[in-house]
Amino acid sequence: MVTGTTTRTDETSTLTPAAVAAVGERIRPYVRRTPVIEMDRADFGLPAGPLTLKLEQLQYSGSFKVRGAFANLLLRDIPAAGVAAASGGNHGAAVAYAAGVLGVPARIFVPEVSSAAKVSRIRSYGADLVIEGATYSDALAVCQRWVAASGAMPVHAFNQAETVLGAGTVGLELRQQAPDVHTVLAAVGGGGLLSGIATAYDAARNGPGDGRVRVVGVEPEGAPTMTEALAAGRPADAATGSVAVDSLAPRQVGELTFRVVSQRVHAVVLVSDEAIGQAQRTLWEKLRVVGEPGGCAALAALLSGRYVPEPGESVAVVISGANTSAVSFDR
């Protein structure tokens, strides 16, 4: 399996459906096989057609991120100093959870914009927590300095082969649970989830015309990180202002995830903060399912018309996280 010293080019070549399956076997004892809901798009007021929701917000630590966290901790050599991770919140919670299960020291760095729900999760898992910097990129810089000083193993939120392969097990399960799906919509932050799903499906940019599943990424208009990278032909700085800033707003995508997305993802579409908020509310009103803003971005593309399926097209949407305090049971 890939190690922390492998080159990025070599890492790209290891991202295959078979590698995702192997990682799935390795992490299986530590993660949930999350359920799917099969419904009709008409339930959401859209033209009729098959819709599958993959409820990854029911995963340990509240998001898909725990899959990549366990992949890193189980497949790489961990030094005595333990592990360190920078995160908007979900990745940090996932690494903290995995480290706690495996008995590994962990220090998590999050920016000041990380939500109270995510900060609370990280603290509850017993990791050392550092809140510093205005954005994820700031927290990452602090984390990198700590890694250099301490010798801890960095667990990158997206630009690491093990992280991508772990995230890809979402796609592996979805292939088994909904084998007739034509298109999968998934949120984009740094690109780990999208890259993993595209890898699991052995997807290509041309989509279902060649018999392969089409994979479509969705990111906020206020944080068009992958959109800017695709336009520039390389990872490029982008704005980081969005209601989903604590999960979908790194300043740059990774070189590894950029290469995967540019080769295997059919398209990346943008959604407004208003559409994300409406998707959150609709998911709760129709299904009593809670999703955080970033976790609902992919659904927002469908509900807002930024992605319009063809008649009869079977669409799957990944609901990728639920670390939010949007629903209160205090009253």
Side-chain angles (χ1 to χ4, degrees):
M1 185 50 62
V2 181
T3 69
T5 58
T6 306
T7 67
R8 291 298 180 205
T9 301
D10 289 340
E11 283 182 325
T12 304
S13 70
T14 67
L15 300 182
T16 64
V20 173
V23 169
E25 287 294 320
R26 188 70 179 88
I27 68 175
R28 180 180 294 175
Y30 303 98
V31 301
R32 291 182 179 132
R33 181 181 174 89
T34 54
V36 299
I37 293 179
E38 295 182 344
M39 54 192 298
D40 196 291
R41 294 194 288 273
D43 292 345
F44 286 137
L46 300 171
L51 174 62
T52 300
L53 301 183
K54 175 66 166 166
L55 302 183
E56 192 60 18
Q57 88 284 1
L58 300 178
Q59 189 56 259
Y60 291 115
S61 80
S63 82
F64 76 93
K65 291 284 192 178
V66 78
R67 297 171 182 269
F70 273 114
N72 274 277
L73 270 61
L74 292 169
L75 297 171
R76 298 169 64 193
D77 295 330
I78 301 174
V83 298
S87 168
N90 281 341
H91 176 64
V95 173
Y97 173 80
V101 169
L102 298 175
V104 173
R107 178 167 289 198
I108 309 300
F109 299 80
V110 301
E112 296 161 3
V113 296
S114 188
S115 72
K118 295 176 182 181
V119 167
S120 177
R121 276 240 187 215
I122 295 168
R123 284 186 169 136
S124 74
Y125 296 140
D128 292 334
L129 177 64
V130 178
I131 303 175
E132 188 168 342
T135 66
Y136 163 78
S137 298
D138 297 330
L140 177 61
V142 178
C143 178
Q144 289 170 334
R145 291 196 292 271
W146 165 257
V147 166
S150 68
M153 184 185 83
V155 181
H156 201 281
F158 48 87
N159 202 45
Q160 178 75 33
E162 288 83 359
T163 304
V164 171
L165 292 171
T169 62
V170 175
L172 179 67
E173 288 180 9
L174 187 55
R175 288 183 65 178
Q176 297 164 352
Q177 294 166 315
D180 297 327
V181 159
H182 301 118
T183 304
V184 179
L185 303 183
V188 187
L193 176 63
L194 190 64
S195 297
I197 291 173
T199 298
Y201 275 99
D202 193 24
R205 288 192 67 82
N206 54 329
D210 63 356
R212 286 191 273 191
V213 168
R214 174 189 287 147
V215 177
V216 175
V218 184
E219 61 185 350
E221 290 177 346
T225 319
M226 188 62 74
T227 299
E228 293 289 341
L230 292 171
R234 56 176 174 77
D237 284 352
T240 58
S242 168
V243 68
V245 67
D246 65 347
S247 60
L248 300 182
R251 186 168 295 140
Q252 281 192 12
V253 299
E255 290 190 7
L256 177 64
T257 56
F258 169 73
R259 280 201 292 271
V260 175
V261 170
S262 63
Q263 295 167 9
R264 302 176 184 175
V265 170
H266 176 70
V268 176
V269 301
L270 298 172
V271 292
S272 67
D273 280 357
E274 181 182 4
I276 291 173
Q278 185 58 52
Q280 276 189 290
R281 291 187 290 271
T282 300
L283 190 63
W284 174 249
E285 291 167 1
K286 298 295 184 181
L287 295 175
R288 283 301 188 256
V289 170
V290 178
E292 65 183 87
C296 292
L299 181 61
L302 188 65
L303 298 185
S304 67
R306 290 299 178 94
Y307 182 81
V308 180
E310 299 171 1
E313 180 181 348
S314 180
V315 177
V317 174
V318 179
I319 309 299
S320 53
N323 285 320
T324 175
S325 54
V327 177
S328 173
F329 296 102
D330 290 338
R331 55 187 181 280

